[in-house]
Amino acid sequence: MNQNCFKLTTAQFAKLHHVNKRTLHYYDSIGLFSPRYKGENGYRYYDYSQSIDFEYIRMLKEIHLSIEEIKGFIQAFD
């Protein structure tokens, strides 16, 4: 099976989750949520399975937790 079929570009992942792709870039830059793969061309590629983690972050944001609090929750479960 071709592994590329499960990889999503930043734009595709953002569209799937109804967020701006700049949000994904920001989360990557602060170490909150990073793409599973980075291509030789510098492009970010997300895996479908990362959707669960991303939606968890969104849920925590919806209950008004700060970025630092969210990072704490994620680190506690890693």
Side-chain angles (χ1 to χ4, degrees):
M1 183 179 288
N2 185 355
Q3 286 186 326
N4 289 333
C5 67
F6 295 106
K7 292 180 185 176
L8 299 169
T9 65
T10 301
Q12 291 168 328
F13 195 84
K15 185 176 181 180
L16 179 66
H17 292 281
H18 307 285
V19 297
N20 189 307
K21 66 182 185 174
R22 290 181 189 167
T23 300
L24 295 172
H25 288 210
Y26 173 67
Y27 285 177
D28 185 24
S29 73
I30 63 170
L32 179 62
F33 182 76
S34 296
R36 176 115 342 120
Y37 314 99
K38 290 191 181 175
E40 291 178 19
N41 56 6
Y43 286 13
R44 298 167 170 92
Y45 296 100
Y46 295 86
D47 191 290
Y48 280 116
S49 66
Q50 290 184 276
S51 292
I52 296 167
D53 296 333
F54 186 72
E55 288 301 325
Y56 181 68
I57 291 169
R58 290 185 66 187
M59 178 198 65
L60 295 173
K61 287 282 292 167
E62 284 182 21
I63 61 171
H64 306 289
L65 292 181
S66 70
I67 295 291
E68 290 305 315
E69 290 171 317
I70 294 171
K71 279 184 178 180
F73 272 99
I74 292 171
Q75 290 171 352
F77 292 104
D78 275 345

